Amino acid sequence: MVFPEYRPRRLRQNQTFRSLIRETRLNPESFIYPLFVIPGKKRREEIPSMPGIPRLSVDLLAAEAKECLALGVNSVILFGLPEKKDGVGSGAHAKNGIIQTAIRELKNRLPELLVITDVCLCEYTDHGHCGCIIDERVDNDATLEILAKTALSHAQAGADMVAPSDMMDGRVAEIRTALDENSFESVPIMSYAVKYASAFYGPFREAADCAPSFGDRAGYQMDPANSREALREATLDVDEGADILMVKPALAYLDIIARLRDEFDLPVAAYQVSGEYAMIKAAAERGWIDGERVMAESLLAIRRAGADIIVTYFAKEMARLLRGRG
Ligand code: PBG
């Protein structure tokens, strides 16, 4: 047998060669760590389906964020659980609402931290939908105004970037206009441009107490069967002024991440969602997989597919692992 001239194994013979030719690398600076904020003081609650991820009262946030910064994770995204909910999600844009208070606290204590906010109504509505309900349907256009007010209230509290996750049509333009009219031209919008109606959000809905009380989100979130529609959604958001495009969930939608990377020149973010995290944690707990390696492999796959930025509950754990490898 005559071997060909080129033998790929030459460059795999030891760790030094392997790291020399690595095409894809993970770095903590490109992770965004989600923080769940709850009312009260000195409250730290574990989320049963998301081991290791806490829900924290505002006074405990800075310590958690400081840990992130020490690990090189410079960005967090905030989700709030308000004291009270109502039909139109007024808590989402209250001046002293849970998120507005959390932003002020974090930016006061840790000015170097990049504070991103999720802009959506589902945590603030008593019916759990992402918009307001008129005639038993989520009313797109009535919701836009509330979303813009919410995003503006986050910017006024000091948020560095807003991330609308509601999937109402036209919300990026509405938010951009509201920000610009109030001198927040420099606050970017990271749009959840492509968000699928996914069962992988299960644990999050428990964590953020935002499961819809009737129906589902398929009327506004995308059908997992569609990929061309993802390009249409993303094109609209780009035209409306989005600065970063996000795909969510991540692992089951790597093809979508790759397509967006090819088609657009904006930074692409991917959200490795609660269900993805929970599956890895649960299987690892049972000893069925090596949790650390599966974590690293799945994050690497998301990056390899083309994500510049990864929102992940593993941010701290992965950063620690990367640091250990130094
Ligand atoms: C709010 C929102 C959701 C998630 C992020 N923002 C829930 C949903 O759309 O049902 C899910 C994140 C996760 O599962 O980790 N609309």
Side-chain angles (χ1 to χ4, degrees):
M1 162 101 195
V2 179
F3 282 107
E5 287 295 299
Y6 182 66
R7 293 184 181 212
R9 287 190 55 191
R10 273 182 212 133
L11 294 176
R12 288 180 204 147
Q13 55 185 296
N14 63 38
Q15 186 57 45
T16 316
F17 270 120
R18 289 193 290 272
S19 35
L20 178 72
I21 65 155
R22 252 188 151 202
E23 297 173 23
T24 312
R25 290 173 210 271
L26 292 168
N27 55 318
E29 298 80 29
S30 59
F31 297 152
I32 299 173
Y33 186 61
L35 289 174
F36 295 99
V37 195
I38 49 176
K41 279 219 156 67
K42 294 205 165 61
R43 281 178 72 201
R44 182 188 186 93
E45 294 175 5
E46 295 300 320
I47 305 160
S49 53
M50 300 174 72
I53 305 299
R55 306 202 289 189
L56 299 167
S57 53
V58 170
D59 53 319
L60 302 183
L61 284 179
E64 183 79 13
K66 221 171 153 179
E67 244 183 71
C68 292
L69 286 173
L71 289 162
V73 177
N74 304 321
S75 312
V76 297
I77 183 162
L78 303 181
F79 298 97
L81 286 91
E83 203 98 55
K84 283 194 305 277
K85 304 183 187 233
D86 62 24
V88 290
S90 343
H93 51 81
K95 188 160 185 288
N96 293 315
I98 184 99
I99 285 298
Q100 291 76 4
T101 315
I103 299 165
R104 283 193 291 267
E105 165 76 6
L106 283 172
K107 291 305 293 184
N108 253 333
R109 305 267 302 271
L110 305 165
E112 71 276 35
L113 181 77
L114 198 84
V115 175
I116 307 165
T117 57
D118 185 84
V119 176
C120 194
L121 302 185
C122 63
E123 295 124 69
Y124 304 89
T125 52
D126 49 19
H127 45 72
H129 276 286
C130 303
C132 45
I133 306 282
I134 297 179
D135 295 335
E136 283 163 45
R137 297 188 57 213
V138 174
D139 189 285
N140 191 89
D141 295 8
T143 303
L144 293 181
E145 198 185 321
I146 311 175
L147 290 168
K149 251 170 127 172
T150 302
L152 180 59
S153 75
H154 294 172
Q156 282 164 338
D160 295 296
M161 178 154 74
V162 293
S165 72
D166 51 281
M167 290 298 277
M168 296 302 123
D169 293 334
R171 90 270 205 219
V172 173
E174 193 88 5
I175 291 172
R176 188 69 269 160
T177 307
L179 292 175
D180 291 353
E181 281 175 352
N182 290 278
S183 316
F184 292 106
E185 297 90 353
S186 59
V187 173
I189 299 176
M190 175 166 78
S191 165
Y192 290 66
V194 183
K195 179 171 173 181
Y196 285 94
S198 169
F200 283 102
Y201 308 145
F204 176 94
R205 291 186 184 168
E206 178 196 346
D209 184 28
C210 69
S213 58
F214 66 91
D216 56 32
R217 303 213 210 285
Y220 38 104
Q221 298 182 350
M222 278 184 49
D223 181 344
N226 296 348
S227 63
R228 290 189 299 268
E229 191 183 351
L231 300 183
R232 290 203 292 280
E233 282 280 4
T235 303
L236 281 170
D237 284 8
V238 172
D239 292 347
E240 290 179 29
D243 300 280
I244 298 176
L245 298 171
M246 177 137 80
V247 175
K248 174 181 168 194
L251 207 53
Y253 299 90
L254 294 178
D255 57 325
I256 308 297
I257 298 172
R259 278 190 87 170
L260 254 62
R261 177 65 296 149
D262 281 351
E263 301 275 343
F264 300 92
D265 56 8
L266 292 182
V268 171
Y271 198 140
Q272 184 185 45
V273 301
S274 56
E276 301 180 60
Y277 177 83
M279 286 195 306
I280 295 173
K281 283 289 174 191
E285 240 168 52
R286 292 185 166 202
W288 290 352
I289 58 170
D290 178 333
E292 211 164 72
R293 289 186 56 200
V294 174
M295 162 183 75
E297 191 176 328
S298 53
L299 287 167
L300 199 65
I302 296 165
R303 161 75 95 243
R304 196 190 60 236
D308 305 293
I309 301 164
I310 307 177
V311 184
T312 174
Y313 302 99
F314 283 121
K316 282 166 57 189
E317 206 176 330
M318 190 65 221
R320 252 182 240 117
L321 188 65
L322 289 165
R323 169 157 301 187
R325 284 181 193 159

